[in-house]
Amino acid sequence: MFAISLGEDGAELRPLEPWRAEELLAHMDRGREFVGQFIALPDKVTDLESSRSLLLSYAEKAATDTGRIYGIWTDGTLVGGVLFRTMDVPRGLAEVGCWLEPSAAGKGLVTRAARVIIDWAVEERGIHRIEWIVAAENAASIAVARRLGMTKDGVLRESYPHRGKRHDLEIWSVLAPEWRSARQPS
């Protein structure tokens, strides 16, 4: 297994594999309400079986090159993650997503982790368009999209039913040439 350093604070990015189902469940239990404000992940990971099932589905996506999931660890504890919810390599499209438990918020972890996986998708897999789809009320996630140099493409009004409410979704994106240009040293 590999771990990629996310900086001097010791944070690491690692594959989130099925054998880590118990760890993912414990992480979800610590941050269930915080994480679940805008995304359905904690509603899907409710017990060991559902945690393992989610990770197995991403292992299958990795095997078929249609998605990936990575965890973010600080001090040996899983505190969040980033993923390619979808990847369509032949079309050059991918949707990146993220989550964090409250103790990890505000430290730049998602921005740093997303940069790593976007670099990989653009440079190794030839992805041309990376999308970030976010509930319009999720200011923290929108701030990450901005820090990643993404452009707001538009709003899908009331398109996301979540926990009894219909949310507007904002679509943000960055194209491979824009990503590469922004990553060049000045």
Side-chain angles (χ1 to χ4, degrees):
M1 186 189 71
F2 69 87
I4 296 172
S5 172
L6 293 177
E8 295 178 15
D9 59 1
E12 293 182 329
L13 184 69
R14 303 178 196 159
L16 196 46
E17 298 172 314
W19 61 273
R20 293 194 177 272
E22 286 184 42
E23 195 171 7
L24 176 62
L25 178 60
H27 159 58
M28 278 299 119
D29 287 343
R30 288 191 303 272
R32 190 167 303 283
E33 287 311 308
F34 182 79
V35 173
Q37 292 176 83
F38 301 109
I39 66 171
L41 181 62
D43 299 339
K44 293 178 181 176
V45 177
T46 57
D47 56 24
L48 188 55
E49 182 179 333
S50 60
S51 182
R52 186 173 291 111
S53 178
L54 176 91
L55 295 179
L56 284 169
S57 75
Y58 273 93
E60 177 65 23
K61 285 183 176 195
T64 59
D65 208 19
T66 58
R68 301 282 192 290
I69 191 167
Y70 303 93
I72 299 170
W73 277 261
T74 60
D75 300 320
T77 301
L78 178 64
V79 296
V82 291
L83 55 82
F84 286 113
R85 198 181 72 72
T86 61
M87 279 182 66
D88 185 336
V89 175
R91 291 181 58 211
L93 303 172
E95 179 193 337
V96 68
C98 67
W99 75 93
L100 281 175
E101 64 184 60
S103 67
K107 300 176 182 177
L109 294 171
V110 164
T111 302
R112 289 183 271 158
R115 281 188 181 125
V116 169
I117 69 169
I118 292 170
D119 275 342
W120 173 82
V122 168
E123 300 305 337
E124 298 295 324
R125 299 305 302 127
I127 298 296
H128 178 74
R129 177 184 167 88
I130 304 284
E131 294 181 340
W132 188 274
I133 301 174
V134 55
E137 297 113 356
N138 191 344
S141 188
I142 291 168
V144 172
R146 286 189 174 114
R147 283 193 296 274
L148 293 170
M150 294 185 167
T151 299
K152 183 177 172 181
D153 293 332
V155 177
L156 301 173
R157 297 178 310 136
E158 296 186 7
S159 65
Y160 176 53
H162 179 63
R163 294 187 173 179
K165 180 181 176 190
R166 294 199 71 82
H167 298 264
D168 291 351
L169 289 179
E170 294 186 3
I171 311 300
W172 291 74
S173 69
V174 64
L175 304 178
E178 298 164 343
W179 183 257
R180 288 183 184 113
S181 176
R183 304 296 286 157
Q184 296 297 318
S186 352

